[in-house]
Amino acid sequence: MEKLLLVKYSEIFLKGLNRPWFLNLLLTRIREAVKGLEAKAWLSDSRVYVSGYTDEAAVIEKLVKVFGVHSVCPAIEMEKDDFSLLEKEAVSLMKDIKGTFKVNARRSDKNYPLESPAINARIGAAILKQCPDLSVDVKNPDHILNVEIRKKAYMYVKVIPAVGGMPVGSNGKACLLLSGGIDSPVAGYMLARRGVSLCAVHYYSFPYTGERSKEKVLTLAKQLRNYCGAFKLYIVPFTNIQMEIHQHCPDEYTTLIMRRFMMRIADRIAEKDGATALITGESIGQVASQTMEALACTDAVAQRPVFRPLIGFDKEHIIKIAKEIDTYETSCLPYEDCCTVFTPRHPVTKPKLEKAELAEKGLDVETLIQEAVNNVDVIEI
């Protein structure tokens, strides 16, 4: 008999003939997550198991953040042939529990002599006989004792919810424009939850934004890593570009032109890193640069699809997710990013593409982009 963790998944069940590939990728992500915790993860009979650990709580904390994991169940593994042993362990699991319960048996081994209803009845009777604080409620129980009959028998009561989604790496790679704000970390989290691997770009305008601003973004990147796995963060020097825009472009168009440069640079970095899309944290109508017309103008310079998972969210919804993934407090630290530098008093809200292009005529766009890309600082997160 052994204590272990039974790791459940959800969407992967729908993958048909491709399911083994997704399961093996999920197993890889789980092994990466528990590395250094003396835990062993393996796949058997379409189930993922983790054992060998000394600190169960630490392992669970890692597992519930792995995309693709639906829930984690602290379980007991035992031989299935001696049914009296199953009854004994069921009583042991339930003896300190009060309220109502039911037994939920699943018999994957169809050669097992007892069918699921019979397992439910016999184990339920044993519990009722020895646990006077419990009564049966098969429709709405306070507790469910799960019994799985596979190559061995597994029992568990506690089911700990996890993040769900798809394993990172199962749906391509995208480049996240990571500011120091609330929105962009949430956007990266949401795309990674759908199986997308990340790299990230941050625009740094020294001396207008200081070292604390950069450290804030590094902290956000590390918090994302807990869910997304390792990725590269590209710190792009952006001061010269902003100065040139401020000096040579119409004031009302400066924010829009800055966003267009960000898209162009992210495109170049995505090309080098093998990313086939860009991700931003924009929500339509939230600020002047996020109107439908403004987004069309910035997308016009992108060579890749631009994913905006927050496009229809209000701020309260975004903040709720940021708090759930522990990025909110970091994002609220009072260290400004480059988007607050040289902000115009009256930014254009319904720009025309031809006017935006005309406003850039006074800039050596290619030289400015190449200079920034050549001086990028790459950090392994």
Side-chain angles (χ1 to χ4, degrees), residues 2-4 37-40 42 50-54:
E2 181 184 7
K3 288 185 177 182
L4 47 69
L37 293 175
E38 300 179 359
K40 174 188 174 185
W42 77 97
V50 179
S51 67
Y53 45 81
T54 55

Side-chain angles (χ1 to χ4, degrees), residues 323-334:
K323 288 179 177 179
E324 289 172 355
I325 65 175
D326 299 322
T327 58
Y328 178 72
E329 290 187 6
T330 303
S331 293
C332 289
L333 292 173

Side-chain angles (χ1 to χ4, degrees), residues 9-61:
Y9 49 89
S10 54
E11 280 189 67
I12 294 176
F13 274 119
L14 306 175
K15 296 304 177 182
L17 295 176
N18 291 325
R19 190 187 303 167
W21 183 82
F22 284 93
L23 279 174
N24 282 306
L25 182 58
L26 176 61
L27 182 61
T28 298
R29 297 293 173 251
I30 287 172
R31 285 172 172 167
E32 290 171 352
V34 300
K35 186 177 180 181
L37 293 175
E38 300 179 359
K40 174 188 174 185
W42 77 97
L43 182 66
S44 177
D45 195 20
S46 295
R47 274 280 196 257
V48 178
Y49 303 91
V50 179
S51 67
Y53 45 81
T54 55
D55 189 341
E56 181 177 275
V59 175
I60 291 174
E61 183 180 2

Side-chain angles (χ1 to χ4, degrees), residues 327-346:
T327 58
Y328 178 72
E329 290 187 6
T330 303
S331 293
C332 289
L333 292 173
Y335 310 129
E336 296 180 332
D337 60 33
C338 70
C339 294
T340 61
V341 179
F342 305 126
T343 304
R345 291 186 66 185
H346 301 290

